[in-house]
Amino acid sequence: MKKNLLCALLMLLPFGVVHAEQTLTYPKKNIDVVIPKNPGGGTDTSARTVIEFARDRMPSGTMMVPVNKPAGNGITGLLEVAKARPDGYKLVMTTVELAMFPHQGKSPVTYKDFTPIVTTIADPVAVVVNAKSPYNTLQEFIDAAKANPGKIKVGNSGMGAIYDLATINIEKITGTKFNRIPYNEGTGPSIAALVGEHIDAVLTTPGSVKSQVDAGILKVLGVMDEKRFPLFPDVPTFKEALNLDVNVKMRAWAVLATTAKVDDNIKKQLVDTFTEVVKTPAYQEALKKQGIMPVVITGDDAYEMMKDDHELYGKLIAETTKK
């Protein structure tokens, strides 16, 4: 499936970027792009997509070279770029785990060790149930959870991972208690369990269940963001569905970054170049075909997103540890 998507991407490239102006001037050699995940996943594919669309903006004879380094939950790759010379020759695909791992004692690096360039993924967390579920609205789901503390089984991609922490955040905000069921192999098995009616709900990104929703197998009750998700415009945000006073934002993001303290000129070139790339219609269409909604969150805006999530997960993890 991923190979087919990449093939389709390569077919789109001549129409998407061949006429683009060359905007990077500093590279005199290849730029390494570290992907701290296994090949074929969403982070890997989105990283390869964005650098493919940027390839004709490189000086002649140079290129961006993707290298997968998933060892140590990706921490090895993060450390390599964090400690690299700040000359713009090493980039890394950071993910939302960067906001969690430091608080879990898994990593010594934080968002402060990087200079964000461009966001390739920023999909909100969604509450998903089986189409046969008695819950047709998020409010009904929360009301049932309040009436049955610890009884409703909610699947996630592993204890302490983003979707587990999102469940904890929902408990905190709504005064509920769920039976959190981990599927350490990832999101796929938890979705399969929901399809098979082994659990009551799952937290994941909307795009990861689009095919099942379109087929009438699953339904999305709400998204954790300040605005509705374009793939499911009829699905309300948490603030809308639960009449909350504040927005509830939790997103699974991936941000291409380089080392902290990189020269301002290099930072500007990278941010400006990739901002143009992510605004390219062909690039956006390529992402949509992968079930990922394109976003334009770059440079300092991406830094603020990473900082906000670092603080959010710090509080959530600290509260979880106290229990």
Side-chain angles (χ1 to χ4, degrees), residues 57-89:
R57 298 170 185 260
M58 293 282 289
S60 178
T62 62
M63 60 190 299
M64 294 186 184
V65 182
V67 184
N68 293 90
K69 295 190 176 181
N73 277 333
I75 295 168
T76 301
L78 290 171
L79 282 169
E80 177 183 326
V81 179
K83 294 181 178 180
R85 182 177 300 185
D87 54 13
Y89 282 100

Side-chain angles (χ1 to χ4, degrees), residues 72 75-76 78-79 82-83 98 101-114 310:
I75 295 168
T76 301
L78 290 171
L79 282 169
K83 294 181 178 180
L98 179 66
F101 285 169
H103 306 295
Q104 296 168 327
K106 297 178 180 179
S107 173
V109 296
T110 73
Y111 69 96
K112 296 179 181 179
D113 296 294
F114 301 98
H310 179 84

Side-chain angles (χ1 to χ4, degrees), residues 16-32:
V17 299
V18 72
H19 298 299
E21 293 182 4
Q22 182 173 297
T23 54
L24 291 176
T25 61
Y26 77 88
K28 307 301 181 185
K29 59 182 181 179
N30 291 344
I31 297 175
D32 290 333

Side-chain angles (χ1 to χ4, degrees), residues 1-12:
M1 178 66 177
K2 294 295 180 185
K3 290 182 179 178
N4 291 336
L5 288 170
L6 287 173
C7 288
L9 164 64
L10 291 173
M11 292 177 67
L12 282 169

Side-chain angles (χ1 to χ4, degrees), residues 198-209:
H198 303 296
I199 55 179
D200 301 299
V202 70
L203 265 65
T204 185
T205 55
S208 63
V209 294

